[in-house]
Amino acid sequence: MSLIPEPARVRLLHIMRIMEKFAQPLSSSRIEELTGWPSHTIRKDVSYLSGEGEGETGGTHGHFGGNCGYEPRLLVPAIRSALGLDKEWKFCVVGLGRLGSAFLNEEISGSPEPEFSLGGEFELAAGFDKNVNRVEILKSAVPLYPAYKIGEVVSRFGIEIAILCVPAGEAQTSAEKLAAAGIRGILNFAPVPLRLPPEIVVRNVFVLDELRELAIHIGPSGPRA
Amino acid sequence: MSLIPEPARVRLLHIMRIMEKFAQPLSSSRIEELTGWPSHTIRKDVSYLSGEGEGETGGTHGHFGGNCGYEPRLLVPAIRSALGLDKEWKFCVVGLGRLGSAFLNEEISGSPEPEFSLGGEFELAAGFDKNVNRVEILKSAVPLYPAYKIGEVVSRFGIEIAILCVPAGEAQTSAEKLAAAGIRGILNFAPVPLRLPPEIVVRNVFVLDELRELAIHIGPSGPRA
DNA sequence: CCATGTGAATGCGTTCACAGCC
DNA sequence: GGCTGTGAACGCATTCACATGG
């Protein structure tokens, strides 16, 4: 079932994001301009979709549009369903410092611009913080709870994903609380690796590593060292 | 010079991070436990270092430690130099909303715990925001400036990297300002791709995509769909 | 035994080149 | 001509298996 290579799935994810903002058809070469990935790679990635679950037309041409490019109306749902994203996910934010609170109100940054919305497929269902004061002071459209209620709230609301924004020293214990509560995936912004049962999917965002990778690509004295 | 495969460099980066916190030697199998990467992969990655610039011992054994594992004192500097990280980098934060301000004071989250420090190799040299009010109100150990001073400050201080935390609508213009000022790398948290000259290295952190990738790995009804 | 170290084989994603369709 | 679509060739990272040293 999961025959699509992971790098291809990541690209399809980005392609989907771009297409969501367009109504007109987008050709593979136009997508190349927008993403930097070669057009044949895009075509190959899209071709994985036809090989999968939805063998509709049976022809060898134009599954997702005519000769002018890919039709967002056709491609976006196909990607969503092939990637298993045609589902509503509930997630929570654990740790409401400056970073964690940035995710409240379904925003990613400190601005109310709609482009920052997380979109319809992920619903922010709760926020948690160890500091009861902060929980009560922070204004938020989503309900906030003290950290000791993680177990109760996560399982009651069926929250499956958590964004972990606590300090490094609390990350492991917070993660274990989430695991015990039945969480299934954690997006970890705390700069420490988490030790969890393998059935729990962890994705790390280590800002220091990101800076270092940038530095690697820049090189000591130019774009290519 | 850059013969080390990129995936290997990323792993070496993480290995370096882990070793920085240890004084005792770490064996490849111990690193496997900590990272999940197989020990032979770690050994292969380390072996790339010997093939590169530093052909020191000439032997076929124990470049970076004895028979008890890798010596952090030896391995960490070797990785740093092989990856071109033995240099001080100045960076700035553009956009001081909740997300951007989380990076002030060299912290990554809203907590003053030292583990969140970005370490010695990256120096936060400035913060910028379009909103002059915010620039004046925010307390910070690093100097803050209104956004129109980006060009002046970046070139004067020799800032080479920027963390971009502005709303999507401002991202492209902010990035162009940075580019004109001579920035060489951008860590982009704004959820839009940036169109910049190819000599400028861009690394995107799209939280929505991270959530989606998590969801992909979790699958519709279990760890593996 | 334990550990690292590394050429050689394997496997997989990318790239190519061309076929099919408008 | 444009485009999508896809099997096949290619190249590179991973993995294996074994050599080397303590």
Side-chain angles (χ1 to χ4, degrees):
Chain A
M1 193 166 186
S2 231
L3 302 165
I4 305 178
E6 204 189 285
R9 291 184 308 196
V10 174
R11 285 191 299 268
L12 286 168
L13 213 52
H14 284 82
I15 292 168
M16 182 176 97
R17 278 196 96 221
I18 291 171
M19 294 207 116
E20 283 173 344
K21 300 196 176 177
F22 283 86
Q24 327 117 33
L26 290 178
S27 68
S28 55
S29 31
R30 182 90 186 89
I31 296 175
E32 170 171 356
E33 291 172 21
L34 293 172
T35 62
W37 296 315
S39 61
H40 51 78
T41 297
I42 275 92
R43 289 199 302 275
K44 186 65 169 179
D45 291 346
V46 172
S47 83
Y48 288 128
L49 301 175
S50 310
E52 298 295 305
E54 322 285 329
E56 282 180 3
T57 66
T60 173
H61 174 67
H63 295 210
F64 304 107
N67 57 338
C68 301
Y70 298 106
E71 197 78 54
R73 276 284 150 76
L74 299 172
L75 227 201
V76 170
I79 295 178
R80 287 177 69 108
S81 105
L83 265 45
L85 293 174
D86 45 3
K87 172 191 167 176
E88 290 278 329
W89 297 85
K90 289 188 184 177
F91 73 100
C92 65
V93 178
V94 180
L96 300 175
R98 282 177 288 194
L99 183 74
S101 64
F103 299 114
L104 296 181
N105 305 320
E106 300 193 358
E107 295 163 16
I108 288 183
S109 183
S111 159
E113 293 212 1
E115 292 97 325
F116 276 92
S117 164
L118 286 176
E121 65 203 82
F122 293 93
E123 180 197 346
L124 178 53
F128 300 95
D129 199 288
K130 198 182 183 181
N131 185 332
V132 181
N133 248 342
R134 198 178 288 160
V135 168
E136 290 174 356
I137 290 173
L138 268 177
K139 289 184 180 179
S140 165
V142 307
L144 306 182
Y145 306 91
Y148 67 83
K149 287 196 176 172
I150 285 178
E152 176 193 337
V153 174
V154 165
S155 51
R156 171 151 42 101
F157 293 155
I159 295 172
E160 296 181 288
I161 293 176
I163 302 184
L164 190 60
C165 304
V166 302
E170 301 171 20
Q172 180 62 34
T173 55
S174 297
E176 286 169 6
K177 267 193 235 177
L178 288 163
I183 210 80
R184 291 170 60 209
I186 295 179
L187 184 55
N188 176 37
F189 278 83
V192 288
L194 303 175
R195 299 291 297 158
L196 292 174
E199 66 267 22
I200 297 180
V201 183
V202 177
R203 214 177 149 74
N204 295 307
V205 179
F206 294 152
V207 176
L208 177 52
D209 283 356
E210 300 287 341
L211 286 176
R212 282 169 166 164
E213 286 191 41
L214 254 187
I216 289 173
H217 286 97
I218 295 172
S221 51
R224 270 273 156 242
Chain B
M1 195 166 183
S2 232
L3 301 165
I4 304 178
E6 205 189 284
R9 290 183 308 195
V10 174
R11 285 190 299 269
L12 286 168
L13 213 50
H14 284 82
I15 292 168
M16 182 176 97
R17 278 196 95 221
I18 291 171
M19 293 207 116
E20 284 174 342
K21 300 194 176 177
F22 282 86
Q24 325 116 32
L26 290 179
S27 68
S28 54
S29 31
R30 182 90 186 88
I31 297 175
E32 169 171 357
E33 291 172 21
L34 294 172
T35 63
W37 296 314
S39 61
H40 52 77
T41 297
I42 275 91
R43 288 199 302 277
K44 186 65 170 178
D45 291 347
V46 172
S47 83
Y48 288 129
L49 300 175
S50 311
E52 298 295 304
E54 322 285 328
E56 281 180 4
T57 68
T60 173
H61 173 66
H63 294 210
F64 305 106
N67 57 338
C68 301
Y70 298 107
E71 197 77 55
R73 276 284 149 75
L74 299 172
L75 228 201
V76 169
I79 296 177
R80 287 178 69 109
S81 104
L83 266 45
L85 291 174
D86 45 2
K87 172 191 168 177
E88 289 280 328
W89 297 85
K90 289 187 183 179
F91 73 101
C92 64
V93 178
V94 179
L96 301 175
R98 282 178 288 193
L99 183 76
S101 64
F103 299 114
L104 296 182
N105 305 322
E106 300 194 358
E107 293 164 19
I108 287 182
S109 184
S111 158
E113 292 214 2
E115 291 97 324
F116 277 91
S117 164
L118 286 176
E121 64 204 81
F122 292 94
E123 179 198 345
L124 178 53
F128 300 96
D129 199 288
K130 198 182 181 181
N131 185 330
V132 181
N133 247 343
R134 197 178 289 158
V135 167
E136 290 173 357
I137 290 173
L138 269 177
K139 288 184 180 178
S140 165
V142 306
L144 306 182
Y145 306 90
Y148 66 82
K149 287 196 177 173
I150 285 178
E152 175 193 337
V153 174
V154 165
S155 51
R156 170 151 43 100
F157 292 156
I159 296 172
E160 296 180 287
I161 293 176
I163 301 184
L164 191 59
C165 304
V166 301
E170 301 171 19
Q172 180 62 36
T173 54
S174 297
E176 287 169 5
K177 265 193 236 177
L178 288 163
I183 210 80
R184 291 169 59 206
I186 295 178
L187 184 56
N188 177 36
F189 280 82
V192 288
L194 303 176
R195 299 292 296 159
L196 292 174
E199 66 268 20
I200 297 179
V201 183
V202 177
R203 215 177 148 75
N204 296 307
V205 179
F206 295 151
V207 176
L208 177 53
D209 284 356
E210 300 286 342
L211 286 176
R212 283 171 165 162
E213 287 190 41
L214 253 186
I216 289 174
H217 285 97
I218 295 171
S221 52
R224 270 273 156 243

